């Protein structure tokens, strides 16, 4: 097979083309490579991206994978012909990536591995362990997708927060109530497997080729439910409303855990379970797990994380800034952006989890704290664009020596936001123009905030460390030079965004086990080894492979 890249089609060519996008690409490839229709046996779309570097000349870029009817001989002949003519350096032999799940173990073990947390890291780790015949026990403190959705909706209506079932906790983890972005800055053969698994579970097929793939918060709950069904079909077991409350360690090795199950009646039932392998994929908001690990003597360390606010603009303004006269074209959809500024050499500021056509969500998991996040549905048809606007917090910024000082800072900011919002989980908000001038806001402009519990206008700076507020104040004008309208006076800042990543790392060694505790496998975002759905899922697969290897 051959990969043909750098196929750039103007929007007008796609508009005027007869048939589907794939049929248009087939005609372009035949013309470029001087082939007849009979020469081509298959064509597969591998990558689709928008090139908007010149707003007056927006293109769609493609990479396709083709196979010729003459097989490898015909492909070699084509490559030689192109080389002789110095034509089309964008044609090369396809680099076929092979990813395989860990091989099934022939020996049945008496103790099943325990996977704590059913976010993307835990789900894919449990899937790999189940396919290897280890019959993992997957526990999740929150509820299933349907009941979790009902819990979130009840919180939005009534302000009654369930600390165990919310946007942070429940089947699918925090990613299930986000945009479902699948971008990653890393390369791994596992990525294709992850995408294909999501598609088989009901995600849109376009994620296999979109350069910036996303699923959407309206589809993700059903997708993760299907993945759980696959885990159970392979011998795994899922226990919801079940959390880890104690870890027994003897001689530097995990020996048992205590699990607490919440019955529908509210009754709490404890179970002590012998176990020799525990995968900790608990997510970045499982603060009680971090405390449990500290008390058990497991080695943790502070790590850099980020804090800030959500910024909202009208999506139509972002579309015009990115696509110029092509804004609103159906082939483009809602425009994303990604911005980084360095207002000082010490503290970068960046956009995070940008949600085109999305909504700011109420992401609290502790009573008395306000947390924001962002989400988009699959169609990204909302009126506003929103993004996290974050500044790094470094370990040296934190007071004292407590390894959980970052958690304490997050909690203080969330409680300050709760108080400033009026105490009913409304969020503090401020217009960008007022924020830059250092004055509180009293009302909105053209952008209506989408935070579902409502906002209280004021000064979001009072909810954040001064060094974070100052970094944002310096960065916003610089980002306005990168993206027209970003620093618009009536754009809305909603606070606080504190859960972009874990402030703690559960330190692991080359074996991927905890450096202090054999049989303990830190995994994913909460452990400090991932950031986003794809990297967390990849880490879950990596840990599963390491665990299986340790048993051989």
């Amino acid at each position: 097979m051959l990969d043909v890249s750098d196929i750039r089609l103007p929007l007008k060519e796609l508009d005027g083309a007869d048939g589907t996008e794939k049929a248009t690409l087939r005609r372009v490839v035949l013309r470029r490579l001087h082939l007849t229709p009979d020469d081509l046996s298959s064509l597969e779309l591998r990558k689709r991206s928008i090139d908007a570097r010149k707003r007056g000349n927006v293109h769609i870029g493609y990479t396709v994978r083709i196979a010729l009817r003459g097989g490898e001989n015909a492909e070699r002949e084509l490559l030689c012909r192109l080389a002789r003519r110095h034509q089309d350096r964008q044609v090369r032999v396809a680099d076929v990536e092979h990813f395989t799940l860990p091989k099934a173990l022939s020996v049945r073990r008496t103790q099943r591995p325990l996977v704590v947390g059913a976010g993307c890291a835990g789900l894919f780790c449990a899937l790999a362990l189940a396919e290897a015949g280890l019959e993992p026990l997957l526990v999740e403190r929150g509820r299933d997708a349907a009941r979790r959705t009902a819990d979130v909706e009840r919180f939005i209506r009534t302000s009654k927060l369930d600390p165990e079932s919310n946007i942070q906790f429940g089947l699918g983890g925090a990613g299930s109530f986000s945009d479902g972005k699948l971008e990653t800055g890393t390369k791994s053969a596992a990525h294709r497997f992850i995408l294909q698994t999501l598609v088989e579970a009901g995600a849109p097929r376009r994620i296999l080729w979109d350069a910036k793939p996303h699923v959407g918060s309206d589809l993700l709950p059903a997708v993760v439910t299907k993945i759980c069904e696959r885990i159970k079909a392979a011998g795994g077991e899922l226990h919801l409303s079940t959390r880890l409350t104690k870890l027994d360690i003897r001689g530097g090795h995990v020996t048992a855990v205590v699990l607490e199950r919440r019955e529908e009646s509210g009754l709490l039932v404890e179970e002590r379970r012998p176990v020799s392998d525990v995968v900790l994929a608990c997510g970045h908001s499982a603060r009680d797990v971090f405390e449990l690990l500290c008390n058990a003597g497991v080695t943790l360390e502070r790590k850099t994380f980020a804090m800030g606010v959500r910024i909202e603009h009208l999506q139509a303004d972002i579309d015009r800034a990115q696509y110029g006269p092509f804004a609103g074209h159906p082939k483009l959809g809602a425009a994303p952006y990604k911005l980084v500024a360095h207002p000082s050499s010490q503290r970068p500021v960046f956009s995070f989890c940008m949600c085109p056509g999305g909504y700011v969500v109420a992401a609290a998991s502790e009573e008395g704290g306000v947390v924001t996040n962002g989400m988009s549905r699959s169609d990204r048809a909302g009126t506003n664009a929103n993004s996290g606007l974050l500044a790094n917090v470094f370990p040296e910024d934190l007071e004292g020596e407590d390894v959980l000082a970052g958690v304490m800072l997050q909690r203080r900011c969330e409680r300050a936001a709760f108080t400033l919002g009026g105490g009913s989980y409304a969020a503090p908000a401020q217009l960008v123009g007022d924020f830059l001038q250092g004055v509180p806001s009293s009302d909105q402009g053209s952008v209506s905030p989408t935070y579902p519990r409502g906002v209280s206008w004021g000064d979001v700076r009072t909810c954040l460390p001064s060094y974070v507020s100052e970094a944002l104040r310096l960065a916003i004008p610089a980002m306005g030079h990168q993206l027209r309208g970003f620093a618009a006076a009536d754009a809305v800042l909603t606070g606080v965004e504190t859960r972009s990543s874990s402030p703690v790392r559960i330190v692991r060694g080359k074996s991927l086990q905890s450096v202090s505790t054999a049989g303990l496998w830190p995994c994913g975002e909460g452990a400090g080894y991932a950031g986003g759905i794809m990297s967390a899922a990849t880490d879950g697969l990596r840990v599963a492979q390491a665990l299986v290897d340790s048993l051989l």
Side-chain angles (χ1 to χ4, degrees):
M1 292 183 288
L2 302 174
D3 281 345
V4 185
S5 60
D6 198 31
I7 301 172
R8 301 173 72 246
L9 299 182
L11 292 175
K12 61 182 180 181
E13 184 169 339
L14 289 167
D15 284 340
D18 295 328
T20 65
E21 188 175 44
K22 189 172 180 179
T24 303
L25 289 170
R26 185 181 182 91
R27 289 193 292 271
V28 170
V29 168
L30 292 175
R31 185 170 65 246
R32 177 190 282 193
L33 302 183
H34 307 290
L35 298 172
T36 69
D38 290 338
D39 293 328
L40 199 61
S41 64
S42 69
L43 182 145
E44 176 189 1
L45 182 55
R46 296 291 293 187
K47 185 176 180 180
R48 180 187 189 274
S49 60
I50 297 171
D51 183 351
R53 288 172 293 181
K54 296 180 180 179
R55 293 192 306 149
N57 189 21
V58 177
H59 287 68
I60 308 292
Y62 300 90
T63 296
V64 299
R65 181 164 293 176
I66 64 171
L68 302 183
R69 293 194 187 281
E72 292 183 5
N73 288 336
E75 291 169 6
R76 281 195 295 269
E77 183 179 320
L78 173 61
L79 290 172
C80 289
R81 173 163 56 82
L82 294 172
R84 286 195 301 270
R85 297 180 179 181
H86 304 286
Q87 289 180 330
D88 232 289
R89 297 180 182 275
Q90 288 77 37
V91 181
R92 63 183 185 278
V93 176
D95 181 16
V96 181
E97 297 178 334
H98 293 287
F99 174 81
T100 55
L101 290 171
K103 293 183 179 179
L105 297 179
S106 57
V107 179
R108 185 181 179 87
R109 303 181 72 229
T110 56
Q111 291 187 358
R112 304 163 73 174
L114 174 69
V115 179
V116 179
C120 40
L123 283 173
F124 276 88
C125 183
L127 175 62
L129 294 175
E131 297 282 355
L134 292 180
E135 300 180 342
L137 174 62
L138 175 62
V139 299
E140 167 56 48
R141 68 192 305 163
R143 305 174 83 182
D144 63 41
R147 286 183 288 185
R148 180 187 181 193
T149 299
D151 291 337
V152 171
E153 291 174 348
R154 185 180 69 250
F155 169 54
I156 291 170
R157 287 194 320 271
T158 68
S159 80
K160 294 181 179 179
L161 175 69
D162 185 339
E164 299 299 331
S165 183
N166 46 63
I167 280 184
Q168 303 293 348
F169 301 140
L171 183 60
S176 287
F177 286 85
S178 70
D179 188 54
K181 280 176 286 294
L182 304 174
E183 298 173 60
T184 176
T186 62
K187 290 187 177 181
S188 170
H191 292 168
R192 188 76 178 178
F193 168 80
I194 294 166
L195 294 174
Q196 288 173 333
T197 300
L198 293 171
V199 168
E200 290 167 5
R205 190 165 181 80
R206 64 172 182 269
I207 67 173
L208 294 175
W209 54 76
D210 276 352
K212 297 182 177 180
H214 80 105
V215 178
S217 60
D218 51 333
L219 302 181
L220 276 167
V223 170
V224 298
T225 299
K226 285 285 189 182
I227 294 174
C228 280
E229 291 174 0
R230 178 172 169 181
I231 292 169
K232 290 188 282 188
E237 192 173 315
L238 172 65
H239 289 190
L240 296 166
S241 299
T242 302
R243 66 189 187 98
L244 175 70
T245 59
K246 187 176 180 183
L247 196 64
D248 284 353
I249 300 171
R250 296 183 182 181
H253 201 293
V254 173
T255 58
V257 297
V258 175
L259 302 175
E260 182 183 81
R261 185 178 72 257
R262 182 176 63 164
E263 304 283 3
E264 285 300 315
S265 64
L267 180 68
L268 299 178
V269 179
E270 279 195 346
E271 173 195 7
R272 189 177 186 278
R273 177 181 288 264
V275 64
S276 56
D277 289 292
V278 177
V279 176
L280 275 179
C282 55
H284 55 47
S285 293
R287 294 165 172 172
D288 58 325
V289 175
F290 298 149
E291 293 171 2
L292 179 157
L293 296 174
C294 279
N295 294 333
V298 175
T299 300
L300 285 76
E301 65 182 12
R302 296 177 176 183
K303 64 177 281 291
T304 298
F305 62 107
M307 296 174 60
V309 294
R310 278 271 145 184
I311 185 167
E312 287 191 273
H313 302 83
L314 293 175
Q315 182 63 51
D317 291 344
I318 299 299
D319 291 345
R320 283 190 291 270
Q322 294 289 63
Y323 298 147
F326 296 97
H329 193 286
K331 291 287 185 184
L332 299 177
Y337 62 78
K338 186 174 183 179
L339 303 174
V340 180
H342 297 271
S344 71
S345 60
Q346 299 300 317
R347 199 177 306 279
V349 175
F350 53 94
S351 62
F352 171 80
C353 186
M354 192 270 153
C355 299
Y359 308 86
V360 178
V361 299
S365 61
E366 293 182 348
E367 293 181 348
V370 163
V371 183
T372 65
N373 198 356
M375 60 161 259
S376 295
R377 298 189 174 94
S378 57
D379 60 7
R380 288 179 163 174
T383 301
N384 288 0
N386 79 79
S387 173
L389 183 62
L390 308 179
N392 275 349
V393 177
F394 301 106
E396 55 266 29
D397 293 320
L398 305 174
E399 299 176 357
E401 301 298 325
D402 194 327
V403 72
L404 299 184
V407 171
M408 297 175 194
L409 176 62
Q410 289 176 324
R411 187 174 280 143
R412 284 199 300 272
C413 293
E414 293 163 13
R415 289 176 176 172
F418 180 81
T419 300
L420 187 60
S424 63
Y425 295 98
Q430 189 174 15
L431 300 180
V432 163
D434 293 336
F435 179 82
L436 296 179
Q437 295 179 36
V439 298
S441 295
S442 58
D443 203 353
Q444 72 177 64
S446 65
V447 181
S448 296
T450 59
Y451 179 82
R453 286 291 306 157
V455 301
S456 176
W457 295 101
D459 189 346
V460 298
R461 295 175 303 165
T462 61
C463 307
L464 295 167
S466 58
Y467 52 82
V468 170
S469 296
E470 180 62 11
L472 300 184
R473 185 186 69 80
L474 294 173
I476 289 173
M479 290 176 165
H481 292 301
Q482 299 175 37
L483 180 66
R484 183 180 302 173
F486 186 82
D490 63 349
V492 175
L493 304 177
T494 308
V496 287
E497 169 101 28
T498 52
R499 309 284 185 92
S500 62
S501 61
S502 176
V504 174
R505 179 174 289 112
I506 308 169
V507 184
R508 69 189 188 190
K510 292 183 179 179
S511 69
L512 304 192
Q513 296 179 72
S514 162
V515 294
S516 62
T517 311
L520 187 65
W521 304 83
C523 180
E525 283 198 47
Y529 293 97
I533 291 175
M534 285 296 287
S535 61
T538 301
D539 198 55
L541 293 171
R542 186 180 177 214
V543 167
Q545 182 67 69
L547 195 159
V548 171
D549 289 346
S550 75
L551 302 176
L552 296 176

